[in-house]
């Protein structure tokens, strides 16, 4: 039985720098949302998470993490990586239809309600957190 959709929750999945980790994150996200009664968000959330995690794995050398947070009717999907450099600014999606590279954040910007990034420093570790919000309504 799904939980109360209004109750806040948060999950973090730490992953190695391995392209197979993107699939692990997508399937984990799908399961978490289904168990919380948010199946209607799965397709878009899965696309957004895959883009964020794929960027973290492809463009950095260290470990990464997928973070999911539900609060006040908004799903925040984020990817942490150990590289403190800011992500490249997304181009316009219409201009990027052909190339395989460079579409990730353009898709995130087009599909999410809000997105951003922030540098992180904790316990001597450096990195960044790139996130996007998906409203349930």
């Amino acid at each position: 039985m799904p939980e109360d959709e209004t109750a806040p929750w948060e999950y973090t999945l730490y992953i190695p720098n391995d392209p197979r980790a993107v699939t692990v994150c997508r399937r984990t996200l799908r399961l978490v949302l289904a168990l919380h009664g948010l199946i209607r968000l799965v397709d878009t959330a899965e696309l957004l998470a895959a883009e964020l995690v794929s960027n973290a794995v492809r463009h950095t050398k260290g470990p990464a993490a997928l973070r999911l947070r539900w609060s006040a009717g908004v799903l925040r999907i984020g990817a942490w990586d150990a590289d403190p450099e800011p992500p490249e600014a997304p181009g316009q999606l219409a201009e990027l239809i052909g190339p395989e590279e460079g579409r990730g954040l353009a898709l995130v910007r087009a599909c999410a309600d809000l997105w951003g990034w922030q540098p992180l420093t904790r316990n001597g570790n450096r990195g960044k957190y790139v996130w996007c919000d998906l409203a349930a309504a």
Side-chain angles (χ1 to χ4, degrees):
M1 179 173 190
E3 290 183 18
D4 175 13
E5 282 186 26
T6 61
W9 48 261
E10 186 173 312
Y11 292 83
T12 302
L13 176 63
Y14 292 93
I15 59 171
N17 190 286
D18 182 335
R20 294 172 291 195
V22 177
T23 301
V24 171
C25 289
R26 288 176 66 166
R27 292 187 178 164
T28 300
L29 175 138
R30 179 173 285 274
L31 180 61
V32 167
L33 293 182
L35 291 172
H36 282 282
L38 297 169
I39 196 75
R40 67 191 177 280
L41 298 179
V42 166
D43 291 336
T44 304
E46 197 174 19
L47 170 69
L48 295 170
E51 292 300 335
L52 294 177
V53 172
S54 179
N55 282 347
V57 170
R58 182 179 301 143
H59 300 297
T60 68
K61 292 180 174 29
L66 171 67
R67 183 174 172 202
L68 305 172
R69 186 182 78 197
W70 174 258
S71 181
V74 175
L75 177 66
R76 175 158 288 181
I77 303 164
W80 168 83
D81 65 58
D83 183 355
E85 291 299 311
E88 281 192 36
Q92 294 297 321
L93 190 58
E95 298 167 3
L96 300 171
I97 297 303
E100 192 62 31
E101 295 290 319
R103 295 190 312 196
L105 285 179
L107 280 170
V108 170
R109 184 174 68 182
C111 297
D113 295 305
L114 190 64
W115 81 277
W117 79 278
Q118 61 196 64
L120 294 178
T121 306
R122 184 179 296 162
N123 303 329
N125 296 327
R126 296 179 53 174
K128 69 179 165 294
Y129 181 64
V130 183
W131 55 269
C132 63
D133 289 346
L134 192 55

